[in-house]
Amino acid sequence: MIRIVTKKRLALLEADTRAAFERARQAAEAAGKASARHAVELFDVTGRAERAESAAAEAGALLSGALEELGAAEEELLLKDIERRRLREELVEALLPTRQVFVLVHYGTPWMVYHSREDAYADTATHGAPADAAWGPVRTFWADAEWLLSAFTYDPAARGFRGSLTPVAEPVGGTA
């Protein structure tokens, strides 16, 4: 088929083509501007995300350190509570009327205090007292005895301890 194209028709086609090219240029320009805006926004969002990630990592490290310190503080508090309870039990035991302490005396000077007779016997040899010493009443003054193990009993009326081991009186002139 053959078609005859007139000048007028050709001018209209050229005008339509120019208009289409102008619309395409405007659309490309708008797309370029939108792409540039999106690139800037993407760059800003990426920067904010990186800063948020960095802040989150720093906060995580601080939180981890704080949790470690909290754990150590809780452990220390638990140990102090255990020690407090132990000391309270010792205090209660010390205030019982039948409670005794044993004092190792060296030439009249208190040398060491023990909670039980067994502890005293086990430890006296480390201080120079004979390990096989027979502990009993003193026949001389305390200051004259090289080693002396003296028991003290708690007296609630006096709110303190009283010595329960006293020197044995020597007979005077054959009478005692």
Side-chain angles (χ1 to χ4, degrees):
M1 168 162 51
I2 298 176
R3 185 165 185 174
I4 298 177
V5 181
T6 62
K7 278 187 168 187
K8 184 178 173 182
R9 175 87 178 135
L10 193 56
L12 283 172
L13 287 173
E14 283 180 6
D16 285 344
T17 305
R18 274 190 233 116
F21 276 122
E22 182 61 25
R23 283 193 306 271
R25 186 191 62 74
Q26 289 173 356
E29 189 176 291
K33 288 178 182 176
S35 175
R37 262 193 331 267
H38 289 306
V40 167
E41 287 176 10
L42 180 62
F43 181 74
D44 289 344
V45 167
T46 304
R48 285 195 305 265
E50 287 175 353
R51 286 190 300 277
E53 244 178 52
S54 174
E58 185 178 332
L62 288 173
L63 180 60
S64 175
L67 287 175
E68 287 176 9
E69 287 181 15
L70 178 63
E74 285 176 340
E75 184 178 339
E76 183 179 344
L77 184 60
L78 180 62
L79 291 173
K80 287 186 185 255
D81 187 48
I82 291 169
E83 178 68 12
R84 181 188 56 82
R85 287 180 185 182
R86 184 188 65 76
L87 290 173
R88 176 171 279 159
E89 287 173 4
E90 283 184 14
L91 178 63
V92 168
E93 283 181 19
L95 295 178
L96 292 175
T98 59
R99 180 69 179 155
Q100 284 186 328
V101 293
F102 298 87
V103 179
L104 181 65
V105 179
H106 183 63
Y107 289 114
T109 303
W111 196 262
M112 193 72 175
V113 177
Y114 303 98
H115 288 287
S116 69
R117 187 179 304 271
E118 293 76 25
D119 290 345
Y121 288 161
D123 192 51
T124 52
T126 63
H127 296 288
D132 60 347
W135 302 104
V138 179
R139 303 227 180 263
T140 62
F141 289 112
W142 283 18
D144 295 336
E146 182 179 2
W147 291 104
L148 168 69
L149 186 61
S150 179
F152 287 83
T153 304
Y154 182 74
D155 182 5
R159 292 188 178 176
F161 287 89
R162 292 196 185 272
S164 59
L165 181 65
T166 55
V168 174
E170 290 289 329
V172 178
T175 61

